[in-house]
C-alpha cells in the first residue's frame, strides 16, 4: 500500500463529482505479467482513490499492454515518437445517464418500481443494452400493475386500459407501444438497441413513471396549498 503523502494527486472519475476530478491515491497495487519468449507484457495499476472534492472513495484501474502503442511526430524535431495507450476504468462505473432528481422519491411509492428502474440505470452504466431494454419493459409492467391494470392482460390490452382509465393519452400510447415492442424484441430475440434507441426508451419510461407516480402527488399537494377563492360579495342592487 502506498501512503498518501508519497503520491501526487491524479485525476479520476469521481462517482459523485464527475470526470476529471483530482483525487489522492490512498491504496495502490501493481499487477504485472509478461511472456519472456514473445517479449510482451501487461501492467495494471489498481488505485483506491479519494476525491479531493467530496472525499468519495472509488477504484481506478490503469491497464497498459506492451503491444498497444500510438505513434506521433514531434513538431520540433520531426522525429517519430511513441507512447503506450492507457485503458483507464473506474468502479463504481460512471453514470452513463444522469438519474432524474425524482428517482429517490420512488421508494416511498413502491420499492419494486424503484429497484427495477434503478437496475435499468445500473445496466446502462456497464453497457448491458439488452438487459436495460428488458428492464424498461419490466418497469412498465410494474408501473401499470400499480395503476390497477390486470397483469395477466396482453401489452396491447394493458395499453388500452391505461388510455381508458386516463393514465395515458393517445400519443403516449403509441410511444409506450413502441417501447414495449422494443423490450420484447430484446427479451425474446436478443435485439441489442443502440445508445440512441435506448435513450428514446428511457425518455418514454421516465415520462410514464414521472407523470403517474411523482407529478400526480405534486399536483395534489399544489392543489391543497393554493388558498381557496374568497366567496364573491353579492352585488349591491342600489349601485
Ligand atoms: Zn467527488
Amino acid at each position: 500500500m502506498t501512503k498518501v503523502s508519497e503520491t501526487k494527486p491524479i485525476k479520476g472519475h469521481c462517482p459523485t463529482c464527475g470526470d476529471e476530478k483530482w483525487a489522492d491515491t490512498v491504496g495502490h497495487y501493481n499487477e504485472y505479467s509478461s511472456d519472456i519468449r514473445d517479449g510482451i507484457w501487461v501492467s495494471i495499476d489498481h488505485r483506491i482513490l479519494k476525491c479531493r472534492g467530496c472525499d468519495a472513495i472509488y477504484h481506478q484501474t490503469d491497464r497498459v499492454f506492451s503491444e498497444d502503442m500510438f505513434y506521433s511526430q514531434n513538431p520540433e524535431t520531426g522525429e517519430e515518437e511513441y507512447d503506450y495507450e492507457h485503458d483507464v476504468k473506474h468502479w463504481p462505473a460512471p453514470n452513463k445517464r444522469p438519474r432524474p432528481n425524482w428517482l429517490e422519491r420512488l421508494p416511498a411509492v413502491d420499492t419494486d418500481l424503484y429497484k427495477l428502474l434503478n437496475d435499468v440505470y445500473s445496466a446502462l452504466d456497464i453497457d448491458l443494452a439488452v438487459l436495460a431494454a428488458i428492464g424498461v419493459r419490466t418497469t412498465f409492467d410494474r408501473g401499470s400493475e400499480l395503476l390497477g391494470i390486470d397483469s395477466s392482460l396482453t401489452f396491447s390490452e394493458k395499453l388500452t386500459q391505461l388510455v381508458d382509465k386516463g393514465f395515458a393519452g393517445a400519443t403516449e400510447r403509441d410511444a409506450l407501444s413502441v417501447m414495449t415492442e422494443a423490450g420484447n424484441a430484446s427479451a425474446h430475440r436478443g435485439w441489442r438497441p443502440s445508445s440512441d434507441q435506448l435513450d428514446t426508451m428511457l425518455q418514454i419510461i421516465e415520462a410514464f413513471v414521472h407523470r403517474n407516480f411523482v407529478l400526480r402527488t405534486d399536483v395534489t399537494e399544489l392543489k391543497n396549498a393554493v388558498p381557496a377563492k374568497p366567496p364573491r360579495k353579492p352585488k349591491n342592487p342600489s349601485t
Side-chain angles (χ1 to χ4, degrees):
M1 289 295 213
T2 311
K3 287 180 185 169
V4 176
S5 57
E6 293 174 358
T7 63
K8 289 179 184 170
I10 62 167
K11 284 191 172 177
H13 195 131
C14 169
T16 310
C17 306
D19 202 9
E20 293 283 297
K21 302 297 175 194
W22 288 110
D24 290 308
T25 307
V26 294
H28 175 243
Y29 183 81
N30 180 262
E31 192 182 354
Y32 181 86
S33 57
S34 63
D35 186 325
I36 298 169
R37 196 179 48 196
D38 294 330
I40 59 175
W41 51 264
V42 179
S43 166
I44 306 173
D45 264 326
H46 294 261
R47 303 170 188 134
I48 296 173
L49 300 184
K50 184 177 182 184
C51 176
R52 288 196 160 194
C54 72
D55 287 345
I57 303 290
Y58 58 103
H59 184 190
Q60 180 187 68
T61 55
D62 182 355
R63 181 182 182 276
V64 178
F65 176 46
S66 58
E67 304 306 291
D68 288 342
M69 290 188 285
F70 63 92
Y71 295 87
S72 60
Q73 201 171 29
N74 187 311
E76 290 175 8
T77 64
E79 287 178 7
E80 195 175 60
E81 295 177 337
Y82 73 90
D83 205 350
Y84 293 108
E85 288 183 6
H86 288 251
D87 181 17
V88 179
K89 289 195 166 66
H90 294 90
W91 190 89
N95 292 348
K96 291 279 168 65
R97 183 184 181 83
R99 273 63 167 164
N101 55 13
W102 46 262
L103 185 69
E104 293 307 317
R105 289 173 59 187
L106 284 187
V109 177
D110 181 65
T111 49
D112 286 344
L113 185 69
Y114 169 74
K115 283 179 184 171
L116 283 166
L117 193 53
N118 212 28
D119 283 355
V120 170
Y121 293 114
S122 300
L124 285 176
D125 289 344
I126 49 174
D127 293 326
L128 298 177
V130 175
L131 295 186
I134 297 169
V136 166
R137 193 201 65 169
T138 315
T139 305
F140 168 73
D141 269 342
R142 181 61 188 155
S144 54
E145 195 180 345
L146 288 170
L147 294 171
I149 308 297
D150 186 350
S151 58
S152 65
L153 296 176
T154 64
F155 274 114
S156 178
E157 289 167 339
K158 283 181 185 176
L159 291 172
T160 303
Q161 277 211 359
L162 283 170
V163 174
D164 290 348
K165 292 187 174 187
F167 294 122
T171 312
E172 196 186 10
R173 183 202 159 105
D174 290 342
L176 289 168
S177 176
V178 173
M179 183 198 76
T180 48
E181 282 302 327
N184 283 342
S186 291
H188 303 303
R189 301 189 288 282
W191 176 65
R192 184 183 167 83
S194 68
S195 58
D196 284 349
Q197 289 162 337
L198 263 177
D199 181 59
T200 305
M201 294 176 72
L202 260 293
Q203 285 186 51
I204 298 167
I205 194 67
E206 283 173 348
F208 174 74
V209 172
H210 177 254
R211 206 190 50 259
N212 286 301
F213 301 102
V214 180
L215 192 59
R216 276 175 199 279
T217 313
D218 290 348
V219 169
T220 307
E221 283 175 5
L222 177 65
K223 194 176 165 186
N224 294 336
V226 174
K229 231 193 249 178
R232 275 192 186 179
K233 287 179 184 168
K235 280 185 180 173
N236 189 338
S238 64
T239 57

